[in-house]
Amino acid sequence: MTTTSTLDLGTITETKAGLYQCSMVMGDTTLFSSGELYVYEDEGIVIPPTDKEGEVGDTISFTCTAGNPGSNVVTNVKWYKEGDSSDSEMAEGITKRGLG
């Protein structure tokens, strides 16, 4: 004979991440098993660029962070100025860290 038990976690939130354990008693024996729940947010921009102000001659930089721990690695980054990515002066200033 088998016995099945289900733990319904409902809507997943970050606070529900963790190690879940099941124990069942069979006669004089207690059985344990466990499983880990990893909770990730949707893939996307996790830290967007922020607005900047500057005067002529100032050095300004924008930073943008995308992805999440459980996602595919970001493999391509493009910056656009007013919808155009072909500005060669802008392209020369792009640095990329953490790309796969």
Side-chain angles (χ1 to χ4, degrees):
M1 180 172 167
T2 61
T3 301
T4 301
S5 177
T6 302
L7 172 64
D8 183 358
L9 297 177
T11 303
I12 299 300
T13 61
E14 288 180 359
T15 60
K16 292 185 179 179
L19 181 67
Y20 288 83
Q21 296 178 312
C22 169
S23 70
M24 293 191 176
V25 177
M26 294 178 61
D28 294 335
T29 305
T30 302
L31 305 171
F32 292 93
S33 188
S34 62
E36 186 90 17
L37 173 61
Y38 301 94
V39 178
Y40 302 110
E41 293 184 30
D42 291 337
E43 292 183 24
I45 303 294
V46 294
I47 304 174
T50 58
D51 294 341
K52 307 280 183 181
E53 291 184 18
E55 296 180 14
V56 173
D58 286 352
T59 300
I60 302 290
S61 63
F62 289 97
T63 301
C64 182
T65 304
N68 69 48
S71 71
N72 294 323
V73 176
V74 175
T75 57
N76 190 16
V77 174
K78 286 188 177 182
W79 284 88
Y80 297 83
K81 178 185 175 194
E82 298 174 8
D84 183 6
S85 67
S86 63
D87 185 331
S88 62
E89 184 176 307
M90 179 177 63
E92 291 173 7
I94 295 175
T95 59
K96 304 165 189 165
R97 288 177 299 200
L99 296 181

